[in-house]
Amino acid sequence: MWPANLMRLLRPVLLLAALTGGAAFVSAQDGDGKAITIGFSQVGSESDWRTAFTEITLAEAERRGFNLIYSNADNSQENQIAALRSFVAQEVDAIVLAPVIETGWAPILREVQAAGIPVVIIDRNVTADESLYLARISSDFVFEGRLAAAWLAQATSGDCKIVELQGTVGSSAARDRQIGFAEVIALFPRMQIVVSQTADFRRSLGQDVMESILHTEDPTQICAVWSHNDDMAIGAIEAIKEAGMDPGDEILIVSVDAIPDIFLAMMNGDTNATVELSPYMAGPAFDAITAYLDGQSVPKWIPVKAGIYFPDTAAEEYARRKR
Ligand code: AHR
């Protein structure tokens, strides 16, 4: 049972625009008339998707009149734990945690819970007992992996030697995408992962790792790259081009995120498919927090939907998403 600290946090007061002259501004305040303060511990800035997710979260907090304390952990769980302790010391009203890795969260979540502060887990998952957090907002990463593999199976008639570029080791995004993809290709006896290496969700590492794979493997035997994110795929595309091969044709590419740059690569014929990970998770996270502070119940898991995109709509998707 979540120990509510509603004595300290009285119901948030929503000041609707109509009361302040008709502007479309909504401000959320605590019982003392102060803006609701939320501590946001972000993974880092390893990918374009992550940067977009941060910008969207900061903008959404501002739009709602929240005071958001933002902490970039630079991909370190230690930094995230320190940030959470600092949020507790600052007596924030709630915490949004985008965890870098899955394990090791229970002790700090217990500390935060003892301080009566609700935590929303966003994007990646944690293995801690779900009573330790209010809600989780995330995509189904296993489903994303299945979707990517299903597309590749039909594109290759179930016959393909695959290079897998994994995301950050220990992150639920990498682990679950790997599991979902493996489940589907196991149904096709001639689909096989020949090499699987991490490039930490980073574009430059994607290029380095792919370069070395193209030296150690026979490139003509590689049918596809399955990359846990678009940035690593873009790095791999560069490496494939440098090796004198044609990405998107001689070596198929499928990845996850649907960032603007991957649609540019599709428009150039360099990649074949991307599974979307929506960066718009702050809205549901903040809704969950305000609902909780308002005394309402909140579902434990609020899923974000995934779809898959191909070159036929790349130009319009690029125009829609570019910043
Ligand atoms: O956790 C989601 C993953 O993290 C994104 O797919 C990747 O780009 C990011 O770094």
Side-chain angles (χ1 to χ4, degrees):
M1 178 80 175
W2 183 263
N5 188 9
L6 295 180
M7 296 299 286
R8 186 170 62 82
L9 287 172
L10 299 177
R11 277 170 74 112
V13 181
L14 295 177
L15 298 175
L16 291 177
L19 300 176
T20 59
F25 172 72
V26 178
S27 174
Q29 301 179 336
D30 68 10
D32 301 327
K34 288 186 306 208
I36 286 180
T37 297
I38 297 178
F40 173 35
S41 173
Q42 173 64 294
V43 168
S45 24
E46 70 285 352
S47 68
D48 279 11
W49 181 88
R50 183 69 54 193
T51 304
F53 173 44
T54 300
E55 286 171 7
I56 289 163
T57 303
L58 298 185
E60 185 61 24
E62 194 178 342
R63 195 184 72 77
R64 293 181 186 226
F66 291 159
N67 173 28
L68 193 86
I69 308 174
Y70 170 63
S71 170
N72 180 329
D74 199 16
N75 277 265
S76 150
Q77 184 183 39
E78 213 180 17
N79 290 346
Q80 292 202 286
I81 291 171
L84 262 56
R85 289 213 173 100
S86 135
F87 296 153
V88 170
Q90 293 175 75
E91 299 186 343
V92 298
D93 298 314
I95 291 174
V96 173
L97 168 65
V100 58
I101 58 169
E102 257 189 312
T103 55
W105 293 102
I108 183 66
L109 288 177
R110 270 193 223 104
E111 276 179 50
V112 176
Q113 190 172 69
I117 298 171
V119 175
V120 171
I121 307 292
I122 198 166
D123 175 32
R124 299 180 189 169
N125 202 358
V126 295
T127 51
D129 191 278
E130 64 176 35
S131 65
L132 291 172
Y133 54 84
L134 172 66
R136 186 163 77 79
I137 321 291
S138 74
S139 174
D140 182 339
F141 296 129
V142 174
F143 175 75
E144 292 173 355
R146 288 184 188 141
L147 207 50
W151 172 78
L152 190 60
Q154 64 77 36
T156 62
S157 304
D159 187 353
C160 187
K161 288 194 168 43
I162 304 155
V163 167
E164 178 180 56
L165 296 178
Q166 299 173 30
T168 302
V169 174
S171 71
S172 66
R175 195 181 73 102
D176 290 352
R177 285 172 186 163
Q178 183 170 40
I179 289 170
F181 191 89
E183 270 175 15
V184 172
I185 68 161
L187 304 172
F188 297 89
R190 292 195 311 281
M191 289 185 87
Q192 184 197 354
I193 293 183
V194 286
V195 190
S196 180
Q197 278 182 32
T198 183
D200 203 25
F201 284 130
R202 296 172 196 271
R203 195 176 291 206
S204 59
L205 280 179
Q207 182 165 354
D208 294 349
V209 170
M210 192 65 205
E211 256 170 38
S212 100
I213 291 171
L214 289 169
H215 282 116
T216 52
E217 300 294 315
D218 176 355
T220 63
Q221 294 302 304
I222 299 170
C223 146
V225 172
W226 148 234
S227 172
H228 291 186
N229 84 345
D230 288 344
D231 279 89
M232 296 186 296
I234 290 166
I237 287 167
E238 286 313 308
I240 293 166
K241 283 182 176 172
E242 275 170 18
M245 295 183 77
D246 188 1
D249 185 13
E250 286 172 285
I251 298 182
L252 302 180
I253 318 268
V254 56
S255 53
V256 186
D257 278 353
I259 59 170
D261 280 4
I262 206 74
F263 290 108
L264 274 183
M266 273 186 199
M267 287 154 71
N268 291 334
D270 291 340
T271 185
N272 307 90
T274 185
V275 176
E276 180 174 41
L277 174 64
S278 172
Y280 291 91
M281 296 188 212
F286 294 157
D287 287 348
I289 289 167
T290 49
Y292 168 78
L293 296 177
D294 206 22
Q296 296 164 29
S297 66
V298 173
K300 255 315 158 188
W301 183 37
I302 301 167
V304 175
K305 289 200 178 118
I308 187 162
Y309 292 87
F310 307 111
D312 59 333
T313 60
E316 69 193 73
E317 290 302 327
Y318 176 70
R320 200 159 70 79
R321 291 156 195 266
K322 72 173 187 245
R323 298 170 159 268

